[in-house]
Amino acid sequence: MQSKNSQQYGVPLYGAAWAPLDRIRSRFRSRGPPAELEAEGGGGGGTDGERSGDGNDRSYLVLAGGGGEGSSGIPNAVLLAEFDFASGSLSEQPVAKLGTGSDLPYRMAVHPQGDGVVCALPKGCRLFEWEDPENAEDHKLGLKTSEKVLGQLENAGQQLALVFSHDGSLLAAGGEDGKLMVFKWPSMDIILNEAQTPSSLKDLAFSLDGKFLASLRKSGPCRVWDLTSSVAVASLPKENDETFLFCRFSQSSDGTQVLYVTAGTGRGASILTWNTSSWRRIGSKHVARDSVIAFNVSADGKLLAVGTCEGDIVVLNSTSMKTQAVVKRAHLGFVTALAFSHDSRAIISVSMASSATVTQVQDSNTGGGSRLWLIIFIVLLAIAAEFMRRRGLFP
């Protein structure tokens, strides 16, 4: 029996993100408040999380994937699903589905301020905008193809990495052809254009303040770019048999910024930590024996999560680097992408096996420990009461 927090959506999934619903709602309000969206609940970018002001606790998830070109019969599409935090249930069917024809949306980036979703298709990138629920037949949030042309990305070929800066003012794209480009958003004025190289891009990450961009290629070190001067300021070397896989900037417990890089070795996978002032390696933690093919960091910086080729999800505390939770076989196939909710209390993960799973997580510093002690106290109190009753100390 399939768990209510996991669903099959009929297409191999390669991208997953949480919709910044509070930002989207604000945009719709400026054109007249859609009553249905108000009732659906909120959450998204910023500090509001996924909760709405009226106590509802639902969120929208953006998923992308498909069967690619050919006659497989599997469609290509961008999907919206709904997750109810209160019941821990994911909608059995997508609440919206936008087909992309023969073009597979292999990578995507959701704008944090609600401007829409940029998808990387085989020949270039396309923007999809949010559709006002008042204009939809079922009064659910939807997506529509934007008329906005994405400049040099429209016919740039397959992009393997696509990411917005945290404030949404920059967009970075890394191509299969090895070209790296960074644009101002929404003007699409280019501020960094690294010439084509023989090695394709694998992953990109903006620093929290938007000053730096980390880039990983299929081979070679991790390069860090200063976006003010558009020059590379660091080249982070590999050691021994390491292969760099993913990169993410975050904030450590003392408030300083760090860069995490996942690395594969003969022993499995590790998470490396780098100081962003000296650009020196300051930590390494072995996290899995299997290959890691998805990685992300919670918005509050407290949690790290990896997805493996065996379909497992591993969540770690970023301060202690101790494993906080393991979900074995969360998926029957590769975990192709995962993302924390904006309030860091849940993870959406997707796979090539067409499955999407939401895993709710509870950091030990956010009240989980207090609740555990409360439960223990209640149990001990009940045992003591039964002991006293049996001895006639009270009826």
Side-chain angles (χ1 to χ4, degrees), residues 261-390:
V261 176
T262 58
T265 68
R267 295 176 52 242
S270 298
I271 296 177
L272 314 176
T273 308
W274 303 80
N275 180 290
T276 57
S277 296
S278 64
W279 299 113
R280 292 183 178 179
R281 187 184 299 212
I282 57 176
S284 176
K285 172 66 176 179
H286 184 262
V287 295
R289 287 178 294 181
D290 299 316
S291 298
V292 165
I293 50 179
F295 174 62
N296 224 318
V297 182
S298 63
D300 61 13
K302 294 180 179 179
L303 300 173
L304 314 176
V306 298
T308 74
C309 62
E310 294 297 320
D312 301 339
I313 304 294
V314 182
V315 182
L316 301 99
N317 180 294
S318 63
T319 301
S320 65
M321 295 302 280
K322 291 182 178 179
T323 300
Q324 182 162 307
V326 178
V327 184
K328 299 291 290 183
R329 306 293 284 174
H331 300 274
L332 296 179
F334 292 173
V335 179
T336 49
L338 53 81
F340 282 90
S341 60
H342 300 100
D343 61 4
S344 307
R345 61 182 172 141
I347 303 169
I348 174 65
S349 56
V350 295
S351 79
M352 289 185 66
S354 305
S355 59
T357 298
V358 176
T359 302
Q360 296 197 59
V361 292
Q362 177 65 57
D363 185 73
S364 59
N365 295 322
T366 60
S370 299
R371 283 193 289 273
L372 176 60
W373 281 112
L374 179 60
I375 292 170
I376 293 172
F377 175 76
I378 292 172
V379 171
L380 291 174
L381 189 63
I383 293 172
E386 178 64 13
F387 176 84
M388 295 171 72
R389 187 189 65 78
R390 290 188 178 186

Side-chain angles (χ1 to χ4, degrees), residues 40 71 98 332 337 365 392:
E40 284 297 324
S71 56
L98 180 63
L332 296 179
N365 295 322

Side-chain angles (χ1 to χ4, degrees), residues 14 64-66 68-69 76-78 98-109 117-128 145 150 153-162 173-176:
Y14 298 100
E69 296 184 49
N76 299 302
V78 182
L98 180 63
T100 57
S102 61
D103 294 331
L104 170 67
Y106 183 59
R107 291 288 184 265
M108 72 173 187
V117 182
V118 176
C119 285
L121 307 173
K123 296 179 181 178
C125 295
R126 190 182 306 165
L127 175 65
F128 300 99
T145 302
L150 296 180
L153 284 178
E154 186 180 23
N155 296 299
Q158 181 69 67
Q159 302 301 299
L160 301 181
L162 203 59
E176 190 173 40

Side-chain angles (χ1 to χ4, degrees), residues 158-173:
Q158 181 69 67
Q159 302 301 299
L160 301 181
L162 203 59
V163 63
F164 280 106
S165 60
H166 293 267
D167 65 358
S169 65
L170 299 172
L171 172 65

Side-chain angles (χ1 to χ4, degrees), residues 91-259:
S91 58
E92 293 185 7
Q93 299 295 328
V95 297
K97 183 175 182 179
L98 180 63
T100 57
S102 61
D103 294 331
L104 170 67
Y106 183 59
R107 291 288 184 265
M108 72 173 187
V110 176
H111 192 271
Q113 302 301 324
D115 281 6
V117 182
V118 176
C119 285
L121 307 173
K123 296 179 181 178
C125 295
R126 190 182 306 165
L127 175 65
F128 300 99
E129 296 177 343
W130 303 107
E131 189 172 40
D132 192 329
E134 286 195 335
N135 300 329
E137 292 182 5
D138 57 3
H139 297 289
K140 295 283 188 179
L141 182 66
L143 283 170
K144 60 182 180 180
T145 302
S146 173
E147 295 180 359
K148 177 180 173 63
V149 176
L150 296 180
Q152 296 185 54
L153 284 178
E154 186 180 23
N155 296 299
Q158 181 69 67
Q159 302 301 299
L160 301 181
L162 203 59
V163 63
F164 280 106
S165 60
H166 293 267
D167 65 358
S169 65
L170 299 172
L171 172 65
E176 190 173 40
D177 61 2
K179 193 172 185 179
L180 168 62
M181 293 182 285
V182 180
F183 304 89
K184 290 182 179 180
W185 184 270
S187 68
M188 294 302 289
D189 295 334
I190 194 160
I191 63 171
L192 174 63
N193 188 351
E194 186 189 17
Q196 210 168 288
T197 72
S199 184
S200 59
L201 268 296
K202 290 199 300 185
D203 200 22
L204 298 169
F206 282 103
S207 60
L208 303 183
D209 56 8
K211 181 179 179 180
F212 297 111
L213 176 76
S215 64
L216 289 180
R217 295 186 176 276
K218 190 175 181 180
S219 61
C222 175
R223 300 188 77 186
V224 180
W225 300 84
D226 184 327
L227 296 177
T228 303
S229 58
S230 298
V231 298
V233 294
S235 183
L236 312 183
K238 300 182 292 181
E239 294 182 0
N240 302 320
D241 63 339
E242 290 175 344
T243 300
F244 288 167
L245 305 170
F246 301 97
C247 55
R248 292 291 184 276
F249 283 92
S250 187
Q251 185 171 287
S252 63
S253 58
D254 63 2
T256 59
Q257 193 167 219
V258 296
L259 173 64

